[in-house]
Amino acid sequence: MSRAAFHLLLDRYLEGKCTEEEKRVVEELYGMLDKEGLEEINPREINTIEQKLWDRIHTDISTGAEPLPKTQGVRLWRWTAVAAAIAGFCLITGYLFFKEQEVRPQFITASFSNDIKEQINFDAKPKKVSFEDGSYVILEANASIKYPSRFLKDKREVVLDGTGFFQISPDAARPFLVYSKEVVTKVIGTSFQVRANAGDAETEVIVKTGKVAVSPVFSRLDLVDNILGHTKEVILTPNQKTIFKAADHSFEQSLVPDPEPLAVNDKTEVKDLFSFNDAPLAEVVATLKKTYGIDFRIEDQSLLDNTFTGDLTDQNLYHKLDFLCEAVKASYEVSGTTIIIKPKK
């Protein structure tokens, strides 16, 4: 976190461009620093004060010290006091790492208490649960889902515990949000799987069709990240998955173990698609990319001089790549969500 970012936030505050939440955070910082007698400080001492506060911040965070009590927001009368508060912003940030407060879905409130449904799959067989908009989830064993009998006008929210495969009805005006322990998955219309078992330290989201955005469950810590321009959101497309690690609030994005074709109408079309006769390597790779929605990269352009003849219809993606690379004397590796084709060593 840079001090330049703090100054940018402060400039927005002084210009009246902050959101109410950002304004409240800045004013709380001023309240925390108000007891330090900052109103008497000479502007020439600002850098020294900032450095001292910076040192204190690292001391408080490393020792796990409790933050100073919050005070009522007060108007920032002097530039010197406000400027000194910049460094204090990091104190709030450090504190929030220890005191995150999750924001629950809107329907999980007292006003909706009589409108909440819950389904639990006690059987070994998958259980289908349908929602009022035509969407549904298939719950694996021991998984549960909470949802309102009717969704809100501007969004559709559910809470999942365990593993569930969702098929979502498209509705651009009402995004569908799945809250699952550590992350929230936001979609408009797609199919995907979420695995969020209570005993696990990780949450996994796998996309089959469409596109989803996955982010940590909203908290005040995420507000700070957004202020500083550090968003923790990943976008997933078909055949991609992400694992959210609660220990360090990080996402690990990769391909699914067995990627499937995005949309194939019939077997004849598949055979026509993957039966090649002296086809340039670039053409074969382009066909794979279009069929599976996966990004391919050819590391050495000299490989493009090769052609391929063969029928790859009945193989899965990785077997297709094995045959292709063997024919053109190449190899491949999966890096994140990209497949890299390179000369064989």
Side-chain angles (χ1 to χ4, degrees):
M1 298 178 184
S2 67
R3 295 182 186 178
F6 301 150
H7 283 285
L8 179 60
L9 170 66
L10 186 60
D11 285 343
R12 289 185 16 226
Y13 179 92
L14 295 175
E15 293 170 4
K17 296 180 179 179
C18 276
T19 65
E20 286 301 315
E21 182 71 6
E22 292 169 344
K23 180 180 177 182
R24 183 180 62 78
V25 170
V26 172
E27 292 182 346
E28 282 183 1
L29 289 170
Y30 175 77
M32 292 170 64
L33 298 171
D34 189 35
K35 296 181 180 181
E36 302 293 335
L38 296 177
E39 292 189 354
E40 305 300 326
I41 292 175
N42 190 304
R44 290 175 297 180
E45 300 177 7
I46 291 298
N47 290 337
T48 301
I49 295 169
E50 185 172 333
Q51 185 59 56
K52 288 181 179 179
L53 284 171
W54 194 269
D55 294 340
R56 173 184 169 185
I57 289 162
H58 288 288
T59 300
D60 287 345
I61 292 175
S62 62
T63 60
E66 287 295 321
L68 293 174
K70 296 179 181 178
T71 63
Q72 295 293 327
V74 295
R75 185 177 178 182
L76 303 184
W77 294 98
R78 297 191 180 186
W79 170 260
T80 55
V82 177
I86 296 171
F89 188 81
C90 200
L91 184 58
I92 282 284
T93 304
Y95 167 56
L96 291 173
F97 275 99
F98 299 97
K99 297 289 184 180
E100 290 187 54
Q101 298 176 353
E102 296 180 358
V103 177
R104 297 182 300 171
Q106 189 173 339
F107 78 88
I108 307 290
T109 62
S111 59
F112 289 88
S113 58
N114 295 326
D115 193 39
I116 299 175
K117 295 185 176 182
E118 182 174 14
Q119 295 282 345
I120 304 174
N121 185 11
F122 293 108
D123 298 327
K125 298 187 301 182
K127 177 180 182 179
K128 181 179 178 179
V129 178
S130 298
F131 308 119
E132 54 93 6
D133 68 330
S135 302
Y136 64 84
V137 60
I138 298 177
L139 300 176
E140 297 295 329
N142 301 315
S144 66
I145 190 84
K146 289 183 180 179
Y147 58 99
S149 60
R150 296 196 65 83
F151 292 121
L152 301 175
K153 293 181 179 180
D154 60 342
K155 56 188 171 183
R156 299 169 288 173
E157 298 177 305
V158 301
V159 178
L160 173 73
D161 182 16
T163 300
F165 177 82
F166 290 83
Q167 181 70 53
I168 306 303
S169 298
D171 188 344
R174 293 194 302 169
F176 198 102
L177 293 93
V178 179
Y179 291 80
S180 50
K181 194 174 64 171
E182 301 289 350
V183 304
V184 58
T185 304
K186 180 180 179 180
V187 302
I188 293 176
T190 189
S191 57
F192 60 97
Q193 183 184 70
V194 178
R195 179 181 59 79
N197 296 313
D200 293 346
E202 300 177 344
T203 301
E204 181 180 76
V205 179
I206 298 174
V207 174
K208 183 176 181 180
T209 62
K211 179 187 294 186
V212 306
V214 186
S215 58
V217 170
F218 302 120
S219 67
R220 290 181 62 198
L221 176 58
D222 300 307
L223 165 68
V224 174
D225 281 336
N226 289 333
I227 288 172
L228 300 179
H230 304 153
T231 58
K232 289 185 178 179
E233 178 183 84
V234 298
I235 304 298
L236 297 179
T237 54
N239 289 319
Q240 293 184 358
K241 73 173 185 177
T242 189
I243 295 177
F244 178 75
K245 299 181 179 180
D248 58 0
H249 258 227
S250 67
F251 285 100
E252 182 180 289
Q253 201 166 344
S254 62
L255 296 177
V256 299
D258 188 12
E260 297 181 359
L262 300 187
V264 176
N265 295 327
D266 55 63
K267 199 70 176 177
T268 302
E269 182 179 340
V270 175
K271 186 170 181 60
D272 291 342
L273 203 59
F274 286 104
S275 182
F276 300 99
N277 182 17
D278 205 26
L281 178 61
E283 177 184 326
V284 181
V285 171
T287 300
L288 291 171
K289 180 177 181 179
K290 181 179 180 180
T291 303
Y292 292 93
I294 293 173
D295 186 32
F296 284 81
R297 179 160 58 87
I298 298 178
E299 187 176 77
D300 190 331
Q301 296 302 298
S302 66
L303 289 173
L304 295 175
D305 296 332
N306 293 291
T307 60
F308 174 75
T309 297
D311 187 356
L312 302 176
T313 303
D314 296 326
Q315 286 79 37
N316 65 27
L317 173 62
Y318 294 120
H319 286 164
K320 284 179 171 69
L321 287 171
D322 289 337
F323 281 107
L324 175 64
C325 288
E326 182 66 27
V328 299
K329 295 181 173 56
S331 63
Y332 73 90
E333 68 177 34
V334 179
S335 178
T337 57
T338 300
I339 294 177
I340 302 171
I341 298 178
K342 53 188 180 180
K344 182 178 289 186
K345 294 181 179 179

